[in-house]
Amino acid sequence: MLGIEGLSPETISGLLDLSESYIPQNQSIDKRRDLLTGRTVINLFFENSTRTRTSFEVAAKRLGADVINMDVATSSVKKGETLLDTAMTLNAMRPDAIVVRHSESGAVSLLSQKVNCTVINAGDGQHEHPTQALLDALTIRRRRGTLEGLLVAICGDILHSRVARSNIHLLQIMGARVRVVGPPTLMPTDIDKMGVEVHYNMRSGLKDVDIVMMLRLQTERMQGSFVPSISEYFRFFGLDKEKLKVAKPDALIMHPGPMNRGVEIDSEVADDFDRSVIHEQVEMGVAVRMACLDALIGGRRNSVVGAAA
Amino acid sequence: MTGNVRRGTAPHTGSTAFINARIVDPTADVEYTGAILISDGKIADFGPNLFASGAPYGIESVDCRGLYLAPGIVDARVHTGEPGEEHKETLESAGIAAAVGGITSLVLLPDNEPPFDDASLIEFVARRARQVKLANMYAYGALTVGLEGQHLAEMGLLAEAGAVAFTDADHAVGNAQVMRRALYYAKAFDALIVHLPQEPSLSGGNMTSGVMATRLGLSGVPPLAEVMMVERDIRLAEMTGGRLHLTKISTAESVKAIAAAKARGLKITCDTAPPYFALNDLAVGDYRTFGKLVPPLRAEADREAVVEGLKTGVIDAIVSDHRPQDQDSKRVPFASAEPGGVGLETLLPISLELVHNEQLTLPRLFQRLSAAPARLFNLPGGKLAKGAPADLVLFDSDYAWRVDRDDLWSKTKNSPFDERPVQGLVMATIVGGRTIYRHDNFTPAAATA
């Protein structure tokens, strides 16, 4: 599973249905099943990530798989081994799935060409982060019943965001309308050709939307000056109660985390119990990743989600 | 490809007649069936009526059986790994690939390790070329010390050692003052300055800007980065009167700007390379690093404008822009991959697409491939003229084949044209009268009648 782009609505719905079936298990006391007993999942993270890696680890363990976390900081990658050598070394250990996070776009796709097990993209550069888009979709679907016809605003640092790209694909495949909102310097070239509406201010961008997805300002990826200052960014593009007024009154507030309070989102909004679904997103993340592992290596390839690979 | 590269053959002596050839004469802008007589490595005579009544008596004759015979290709933009990265390409392996590609003269870029900013490097290349004894090899001198765009290189001394032009290869000179002085100073030696127009501060990306880059999540280089520099350079050339040649033109706006400058009477010239008239940014889909080039592959409208520029003559020359990269440089994530593609062996077949598509006639194509570069760089080959070196390429313009990276003679296989079906293949390459390459399908009836 390398990206959302190109998936069919049926595949996505199937994965979401399967995810849904794992929610009760995750909420019960006995959380473990043995569907993946004997399977090996390697979490190969070339880029720091606590949340996604933990989520994948929890998901795999709840299905009974053996999980190995590759700590890249102390691995041979730091000794100069190339990505493909690492891939082939791990492949020789015969894992059933490798979950990969890498800072460069296309790196996961490249790695997948060299191994003969399932590869799940846990985020590659500025390209895609498919499980994040799926968990966002699951969260929305549970609250709204459907994605079709919803108006969704994705706000902030679109340029550096793989979450934005995966969500743009998924939401449009499922019939939602998408706006991207942010300063022009953080908009990718020709983003409108991906079928989205582009807004440079929050007032017009958030008008009448059903869902507000905030993105983290990824200062670590920025070379040079994209915005003059954090305080100016927050003043014009940070989500607060005031800016939210133009959205639908029951609009959901989402954030893929980790949040920078006071940069792209105000605490008052982030912690708004009625509208913020940020913690629910994390919960759905585990269910979605269980569904992906189930669909891809659970031995039920001919089921409804078989095409997800 | 199966063929025979013959290194180190003795200089051509005596006379050889190539008869029954479709002769392509770019200078006269004609093609006809005729013969070429070469004597002691030089063209002695040629024309439609030469030996029209049959093979000459008493001298060696080669029956070309209706194949095309044209002035050998003069490739003004070749990078090899020698010195510095011999595992990627040596002057010998490049010479072999050039021979197979019908290239009889090539000009080597100066961005080696060490860069050619010292006269000894130019002399090194000349000496190695004499040992390799394949195509004629010339070298650029560096325009600035270390190709760093700050201090002028010793142009006079480099020219004395044999440098045929000056360039910083794929590094653009961002500082306008340095470029202005380079153009001024070069006038003292009537030296040609070759510049890759790319505004460096806008050129940090990995592919051309646009929806493709946005979808792939790769940083973009806007087409604007090229035309901005083209326009700056035109102004500087106009002001200084220096000889400027812009290389690897890849955008519609650049073609327009250069056309306007030429219309104003400025003596600016330019070239492009096959990727820019035969490919667009779709070729990097799914992160194909063989399609990562400098400048990046552009949009389809830009490609069409480059073809148009070649048709109208706004673009004077075609170069291979040969840049070998090994697996370690290309089998990595796109942003980390080294840019560049091998091009010596595909230069002619890809360029012939312009003829098959009726965008250029064969004589016009060889103006771009042979005559113009020889004239611009002041090299002896590239034309049919009595007394000119007998540097020729014999080719079958219809021969259909498929580019396969594993069949390339270059040491590395990074062709952006891998797997492309093409039409046209070199049957023999002749340098100074010596046949340095012959395809197995062409066995000359070397009958001495």
Side-chain angles (χ1 to χ4, degrees):
Chain A
M1 171 163 235
L2 302 177
I4 296 292
E5 188 176 9
L7 294 186
S8 69
E10 293 74 27
T11 301
I12 292 168
S13 297
L15 276 172
L16 296 179
D17 294 343
L18 189 58
S19 307
E20 194 108 31
S21 74
Y22 282 114
I23 296 169
Q25 180 189 333
N26 287 338
Q27 290 172 344
S28 71
I29 295 170
D30 186 10
K31 297 183 179 64
R32 196 181 164 103
R33 276 175 52 181
D34 53 6
L35 184 78
L36 297 184
T37 302
R39 309 275 156 88
T40 306
V41 176
I42 297 179
N43 283 332
L44 179 59
F45 279 59
F46 293 91
E47 198 182 53
N48 286 336
S49 157
T50 314
R51 312 161 63 90
T52 307
R53 204 210 64 199
T54 308
S55 181
F56 268 107
E57 184 175 353
V58 167
K61 283 184 170 164
R62 285 194 181 157
L63 293 175
D66 297 315
V67 183
I68 290 99
N69 291 315
M70 280 277 294
D71 187 356
V72 170
T74 57
S75 80
S76 50
V77 175
K78 280 272 147 81
K79 298 173 194 160
E81 188 177 63
T82 67
L83 174 65
L84 290 184
D85 283 338
T86 305
M88 290 196 304
T89 304
L90 293 179
N91 187 51
M93 298 174 192
R94 302 199 171 277
D96 298 280
I98 305 181
V99 177
V100 190
R101 157 76 57 100
H102 198 283
S103 61
E104 291 190 61
S105 305
V108 181
S109 153
L110 177 68
L111 185 143
S112 74
Q113 293 163 21
K114 278 285 165 181
V115 299
N116 45 24
C117 65
T118 293
V119 174
I120 298 177
N121 184 358
D124 64 323
Q126 280 97 266
H127 177 226
E128 281 229 40
H129 190 354
T131 56
Q132 177 71 42
L134 285 166
L135 74 88
D136 288 342
L138 182 63
T139 308
I140 297 170
R141 206 177 75 164
R142 277 168 62 82
R143 290 290 187 124
R144 288 288 178 270
T146 179
L147 294 163
E148 198 167 343
L150 294 179
L151 183 57
V152 182
I154 305 177
C155 309
D157 185 356
I158 313 288
L159 180 65
H160 297 103
S161 177
R162 52 195 171 216
V163 175
R165 284 168 179 78
S166 284
N167 265 315
I168 288 169
H169 290 304
L170 189 146
L171 291 165
Q172 295 192 133
I173 291 167
M174 300 309 284
R177 286 189 297 142
V178 180
R179 284 182 189 162
V180 290
V181 191
T185 46
L186 294 176
M187 285 293 170
T189 314
D190 291 346
I191 184 81
D192 54 312
K193 290 185 185 155
M194 287 178 75
V196 300
E197 244 178 74
V198 181
H199 291 260
Y200 297 139
N201 73 74
M202 295 288 268
R203 198 161 298 113
S204 73
L206 295 188
K207 184 132 181 51
D208 298 328
V209 298
D210 298 284
I211 313 284
V212 183
M213 287 185 175
M214 297 308 297
L215 297 172
R216 188 171 61 85
L217 191 64
Q218 300 192 53
T219 44
E220 76 279 9
R221 291 189 201 274
M222 295 183 189
Q223 289 172 338
S225 173
F226 287 81
V227 290
S229 72
I230 297 297
S231 55
E232 175 156 326
Y233 183 78
F234 182 69
R235 165 78 177 76
F236 292 97
F237 299 99
L239 186 68
D240 56 22
K241 259 207 160 131
E242 187 57 33
K243 296 194 187 85
L244 200 53
K245 276 183 181 163
V246 295
K248 287 206 178 135
D250 60 347
L252 298 178
I253 297 155
M254 306 177 77
H255 194 298
M259 278 186 287
N260 290 319
R261 291 167 186 265
V263 179
E264 69 265 350
I265 192 160
D266 189 49
S267 288
E268 199 183 359
V269 180
D271 300 333
D272 182 336
F273 218 73
D274 298 322
R275 298 205 280 180
S276 168
V277 291
I278 294 168
H279 295 291
E280 198 173 322
Q281 286 174 273
V282 179
E283 185 186 346
M284 293 307 121
V286 176
V288 156
R289 285 160 186 138
M290 289 168 83
C292 289
L293 288 167
D294 178 354
L296 293 165
I297 61 168
R300 297 196 285 174
R301 281 193 165 251
N302 294 325
S303 68
V304 60
V305 293
Chain B
M1 262 170 278
T2 51
N4 194 355
V5 178
R6 301 194 291 184
R7 272 156 280 173
T9 51
H12 178 260
T13 53
S15 295
T16 308
F18 289 84
I19 61 168
N20 271 332
R22 281 298 291 173
I23 291 175
V24 180
D25 184 342
T27 319
D29 200 14
V30 290
E31 63 169 271
Y32 51 81
T33 301
I36 297 180
L37 175 66
I38 61 180
S39 276
D40 297 334
K42 298 200 183 316
I43 295 172
D45 202 358
F46 62 100
N49 301 319
L50 186 65
F51 311 128
S53 50
Y57 182 75
I59 57 172
E60 186 193 10
S61 79
V62 177
D63 185 348
C64 300
R65 284 168 299 179
L67 295 173
Y68 285 100
L69 188 59
I73 296 168
V74 178
D75 184 354
R77 198 173 184 86
V78 178
H79 175 89
T80 79
E82 185 173 349
E85 290 189 303
E86 287 84 353
H87 59 287
K88 291 185 178 175
E89 193 92 285
T90 61
L91 291 173
E92 179 162 11
S93 66
I96 292 169
V100 174
I103 294 159
T104 54
S105 291
L106 49 85
V107 188
L108 296 160
L109 286 168
D111 56 334
N112 281 59
E113 191 53 55
F116 301 173
D117 57 5
D118 186 284
S120 62
L121 273 307
I122 308 293
E123 283 156 8
F124 166 82
V125 169
R127 177 166 57 80
R128 288 285 295 124
R130 282 196 300 275
Q131 290 166 351
V132 169
K133 263 189 133 175
L134 286 162
N136 304 303
M137 292 188 184
Y138 305 92
Y140 284 97
L143 185 61
T144 64
V145 174
L147 312 173
E148 284 168 356
Q150 296 299 325
H151 305 284
L152 297 187
E154 294 170 335
M155 277 190 229
L157 293 175
L158 287 162
E160 235 173 43
V164 295
F166 297 88
T167 187
D168 275 358
D170 281 355
H171 306 266
V173 178
N175 185 321
Q177 179 70 296
V178 172
M179 192 63 177
R180 184 179 75 119
R181 290 203 178 119
L183 283 161
Y184 257 139
Y185 187 74
K187 285 174 74 174
F189 307 96
D190 194 29
L192 178 69
I193 289 183
V194 176
H195 193 223
L196 175 76
Q198 287 290 312
E199 168 54 42
S201 63
L202 294 176
S203 302
N206 286 298
M207 66 175 292
T208 198
S209 299
V211 68
M212 186 80 174
T214 292
R215 272 183 46 231
L216 292 174
L218 293 171
S219 52
V221 180
L224 173 80
E226 183 171 296
V227 69
M228 268 177 75
M229 195 59 110
V230 166
E231 285 173 342
R232 184 203 76 173
D233 285 355
I234 288 169
R235 295 292 170 186
L236 291 173
E238 185 172 17
M239 171 194 175
T240 59
R243 286 173 63 205
L244 175 68
H245 178 84
L246 297 168
T247 186
K248 294 201 273 186
I249 293 305
S250 71
T251 73
E253 288 298 316
S254 304
V255 175
K256 220 190 279 177
I258 295 165
K262 285 186 165 187
R264 270 164 49 212
L266 299 180
K267 282 197 206 77
I268 287 162
T269 54
C270 68
D271 66 55
T272 191
Y276 306 110
F277 62 78
L279 297 172
N280 60 30
D281 62 345
L282 294 178
V284 303
D286 204 23
Y287 304 101
R288 259 184 105 241
T289 56
F290 281 9
K292 184 174 177 180
L293 305 171
V294 172
L297 291 170
R298 302 293 190 184
E300 176 61 11
D302 289 312
R303 186 195 70 79
E304 287 168 0
V306 171
V307 171
E308 196 59 28
L310 284 165
K311 267 170 79 171
T312 57
V314 168
I315 300 177
D316 304 86
I318 299 173
V319 296
S320 75
D321 193 33
H322 182 77
R323 183 167 292 270
Q325 297 289 3
D326 58 1
Q327 291 247 353
D328 294 347
S329 318
K330 285 290 191 184
R331 292 288 288 168
V332 291
F334 199 89
S336 301
E338 296 284 343
V342 291
L344 293 170
E345 292 162 74
T346 47
L347 176 57
L348 180 61
I350 301 294
S351 298
L352 279 170
E353 290 179 3
L354 297 166
V355 176
H356 296 307
N357 296 338
E358 297 180 352
Q359 285 146 340
L360 283 180
T361 62
L362 269 175
R364 291 278 162 92
L365 177 63
F366 276 86
Q367 285 173 12
R368 316 278 182 268
L369 287 171
S370 305
R375 193 183 68 243
L376 292 170
F377 289 78
N378 210 9
L379 306 178
K383 59 175 181 262
L384 298 184
K386 288 181 188 173
D391 295 350
L392 301 167
V393 56
L394 183 73
F395 63 98
D396 179 342
S397 74
D398 293 326
Y399 191 104
W401 58 289
R402 196 182 169 88
V403 179
D404 180 340
R405 63 173 183 264
D406 293 326
D407 287 346
L408 295 176
W409 293 62
S410 258
K411 241 180 154 172
T412 65
K413 313 299 175 190
N414 54 307
S415 170
F417 298 107
D418 189 26
E419 297 181 10
R420 188 181 180 98
V422 291
Q423 234 183 320
L425 188 62
V426 173
M427 289 293 154
T429 306
I430 296 130
V431 174
R434 299 177 293 130
T435 301
I436 60 164
Y437 169 73
R438 202 177 65 219
H439 191 270
D440 285 348
N441 281 18
F442 181 70
T443 41
T448 308

